[in-house]
Amino acid sequence: MDTNAAPKVRFAPSPTGYFHVGSARTALFNWLFARRNHGTFILRIEDTDEERGREEWVSGILSALAWLGLECDEGPYRQSERYALYADALTRLWDGGYLYACGCSHEEVLERTKGNQTPGYDGHCRELGLAREGRALRFRTPRDGTTVVKDVIRGAVEFPHRAMEDFVVSKANSSPLFVLANVVDDIDMGITHVIRGEDLLPSTPKGILLWKALEGSEVELPVFAHLPMLVNEKRQKLSKRRDPVSLEYYREQGYLPEAFCNYLSLLGWNHPLGKELMTMKEIVQSFSLEDVNHSPAFFDVVKLTHIDGEHIRRLDSDEFIARSSAWLDTVTVPWERHCFEMDTYQRIAHLVQERVATFGEIIPMVDFFFLESPVYDKVAVESLVGNETTQRMLTMALNTFSDCSWETDTLHETTAAMGNEIGLKLSKAQAPIRVAVTGRRVGPPLFESMVILGREKVLARLQAFATLVARTTPE
Ligand code: GLU
Ligand code: ZN
């Protein structure tokens, strides 16, 4: 491989399910490497497994990449459209004596090899000279020697051939297996760097044997970089059953794609100066495979959320309004769509932007503006039921607010004065008012919110709430 040439990398997902955050990290690192080195980023869908490769999963891959902002320079190629290439490679390997036909069923192999020390196929058909047609083909793995995977991240990893089996490269119906199609395409597409998850490291020596069989033993192999696996807080491999691992989940929670990429970039890679909060541009400028380490990377939702909040704070306010309202349009919200008023949202947005870590957190913070009556937090309401001070505060508020001037400062001062009168600090004095108006104990600044909501609605809510907590008072 000409190391001076612009690199070519590929992201090669198999469409076998929802899009995993680990796949997102692999895609991102390939993309970053390509952008950093003015190379080419190829998307290749590895859909040779017809039973599992469903069309909706292919569109899931495309929409995930589009959301992350990882545009590809070539592709998507689809392996299912490239069978002629694999058939040709199989014939060349067969003619070169690298393969043999195997007529054993899976059960037969299991039965024969039950007690064996080295697991896997026992070479039963290796010297039988069976005809190729209608049989699976296996690669004649050399009996001696070692294949060394030189990996930028993990150093030299040795695979002694005696521990490797004669692996299958095509099925009895002549459809190619992953390892064959993968290598044939990497050769055909001129891939210079194979950047992928650590789970694929065990198949790499097989790929190298194929690569040499097809291109000659002196061939210059691509650079391999196997990215560290992602683990949860218990250092367990991220799993679908235990952890939220689909990219879709995070999209639905309202994470920003650029924040998500920022966080993913830190899963295995470190900025040379330890910077954590970065734009895509900054990441591209400093990314290098040499700075990727091999220890498992903890997928920390708390940190992801913190980084998302920081990115939200960095948006300019118009962008925050535009992007968050567009996002609200795509998710389930507790208010009727036609009740959402853009004017109101524009006025409250600055209060929200400072306080949320994800767009998802916006909903409970603004719902009371767009609902006829607020969603009451049960615990908050119960703590106020039958409470005399609450009743007094609500009665005073109803009186005072009906004709004071409707401005933040005035509402603030009059509430403080009411509190004084009954010996309550402002925070305690405003608590029942906040629950009455917003339904909750926490939220955006109360008096500013009341100004935006308007006197009429505030008074109506205070009235309704006073009745509610009085009616449920135990006799
Ligand atoms: N298609 C393989 C997978 O999704 C990855 C192939 C590769 O990156 O080499 O597991
Ligand atoms: Zn056999």
Side-chain angles (χ1 to χ4, degrees):
M1 215 121 294
D2 179 358
T3 40
N4 294 319
K8 265 191 162 187
V9 295
R10 83 296 194 280
F11 172 52
S14 306
T16 51
Y18 62 90
F19 197 83
H20 192 285
V21 291
S23 300
R25 196 265 315 255
T26 300
L28 174 68
F29 280 35
N30 275 284
W31 182 88
L32 287 170
F33 182 77
R35 290 295 167 271
R36 171 77 186 119
N37 299 289
H38 310 287
T40 306
F41 175 62
I42 297 176
L43 173 59
R44 183 171 83 216
I45 310 283
E46 303 210 321
D47 56 353
T48 53
D49 194 345
E50 293 108 358
E51 294 135 52
R52 295 165 73 198
R54 283 212 247 123
E55 217 37 51
E56 72 202 74
W57 290 328
V58 174
S59 41
I61 293 169
L62 301 179
S63 98
L65 293 178
W67 181 72
L68 292 165
L70 309 179
E71 71 285 3
C72 60
D73 306 308
E74 277 184 35
Y77 295 110
R78 296 185 65 146
Q79 288 192 326
S80 55
E81 291 163 4
R82 299 165 59 83
Y83 274 86
L85 217 62
Y86 315 133
D88 174 65
L90 283 169
T91 300
R92 283 194 289 132
L93 289 168
W94 178 266
D95 293 346
Y98 290 102
L99 308 180
Y100 64 88
C102 166
C104 308
S105 70
H106 185 59
E107 292 70 30
E108 285 165 350
V109 176
L110 279 186
E111 185 54 36
R112 279 203 313 267
T113 58
K114 248 191 309 199
N116 286 6
Q117 283 207 314
T118 29
Y121 187 67
D122 57 356
H124 180 266
C125 303
R126 186 163 163 132
E127 308 305 340
L128 294 185
L130 297 174
R132 188 184 158 179
E133 279 63 43
R135 297 203 170 89
L137 303 183
R138 289 184 181 271
F139 189 85
R140 248 175 236 283
T141 303
R143 297 279 195 212
D144 308 313
T146 300
T147 288
V148 180
V149 178
K150 293 196 193 107
D151 188 285
V152 221
I153 299 168
R154 334 187 72 83
V157 189
E158 296 191 8
F159 293 88
H161 293 153
R162 76 185 126 69
M164 288 167 61
E165 62 171 354
D166 288 348
F167 52 93
V168 178
V169 292
S170 68
K171 293 193 224 166
N173 66 4
S174 46
S175 76
L177 261 83
F178 154 73
V179 66
L180 180 92
N182 187 262
V183 166
V184 169
D185 277 345
D186 282 349
I187 294 171
D188 182 66
M189 295 174 184
I191 298 303
T192 60
H193 294 71
V194 172
I195 305 168
R196 59 186 178 187
E198 179 187 87
D199 53 321
L200 287 156
L201 185 60
S203 78
T204 307
K206 300 179 195 170
I208 291 178
L209 288 173
L210 283 171
W211 204 294
K212 289 185 172 172
L214 287 163
E215 295 293 282
S217 56
E218 296 309 311
V219 66
E220 204 172 328
L221 294 166
V223 172
F224 291 101
H226 287 92
L227 306 173
M229 74 179 169
L230 305 185
V231 294
N232 66 15
E233 74 282 1
K234 295 192 188 113
R235 316 302 287 170
Q236 297 161 318
K237 194 168 179 253
L238 280 195
S239 109
K240 184 161 129 182
R241 269 174 302 114
R242 286 188 298 255
D243 317 289
V245 291
S246 85
L247 190 72
E248 200 52 32
Y249 170 82
Y250 295 94
R251 279 176 82 166
E252 282 167 8
Q253 300 291 308
Y255 287 87
L256 293 173
E258 66 268 37
F260 202 80
C261 283
N262 182 171
Y263 180 64
L264 285 179
S265 78
L266 302 172
L267 295 175
W269 174 75
N270 293 302
H271 184 280
L273 303 175
K275 243 180 128 169
E276 295 213 315
L277 199 62
M278 291 169 282
T279 61
M280 280 294 244
K281 206 166 151 201
E282 287 175 290
I283 302 169
V284 168
Q285 277 163 358
S286 35
F287 184 80
S288 114
L289 283 180
E290 281 69 32
D291 292 325
V292 177
N293 60 66
H294 59 78
S295 34
F298 171 28
F299 189 86
D300 182 356
V301 179
V302 174
K303 185 162 175 186
L304 161 67
T305 306
H306 169 77
I307 287 183
D308 200 72
E310 295 298 319
H311 278 268
I312 286 182
R313 242 83 63 218
R314 284 178 167 201
L315 296 176
D316 74 49
S317 58
D318 286 345
E319 201 184 348
F320 174 78
I321 293 169
R323 290 180 64 180
S324 59
S325 58
W327 180 83
L328 287 169
D329 244 355
T330 65
V331 294
T332 313
V333 288
W335 55 82
E336 303 269 354
R337 298 250 169 230
H338 68 265
C339 296
F340 183 85
E341 283 159 10
M342 199 56 192
D343 285 359
T344 307
Y345 191 62
Q346 277 167 343
R347 292 175 69 196
I348 57 182
H350 70 283
L351 303 175
V352 172
Q353 186 176 4
E354 290 160 23
R355 287 174 173 76
V356 295
T358 62
F359 282 171
E361 291 178 9
I362 296 174
I363 298 172
M365 203 167 279
V366 305
D367 58 358
F368 66 92
F369 285 103
F370 308 120
L371 287 163
E372 192 53 45
S373 55
V375 183
Y376 290 116
D377 167 358
K378 282 208 182 65
V379 180
V381 175
E382 255 152 52
S383 70
L384 299 172
V385 162
N387 180 311
E388 236 176 81
T389 325
T390 298
Q391 288 293 353
R392 280 186 69 193
M393 269 310 295
L394 291 172
T395 313
M396 285 191 333
L398 273 163
N399 284 332
T400 320
F401 294 163
S402 60
D403 58 6
C404 70
S405 82
W406 204 247
E407 290 163 304
T408 308
D409 288 349
T410 318
L411 295 173
H412 184 141
E413 283 152 24
T414 50
T415 308
M418 291 181 248
N420 255 340
E421 219 177 299
I422 43 180
L424 291 180
K425 288 216 172 80
L426 178 65
S427 60
K428 283 256 190 288
Q430 70 173 22
I433 302 175
R434 179 184 283 284
V435 178
V437 174
T438 73
R440 296 192 177 80
R441 280 197 276 221
V442 289
L446 178 62
F447 305 117
E448 275 170 276
S449 302
M450 283 165 58
V451 170
I452 296 168
L453 199 59
R455 191 193 309 263
E456 209 178 307
K457 283 192 183 159
V458 169
L459 291 178
R461 287 182 187 188
L462 286 170
Q463 186 66 64
F465 192 69
T467 319
L468 176 76
V469 287
R471 181 141 29 86
T472 36
T473 309
E475 288 299 305

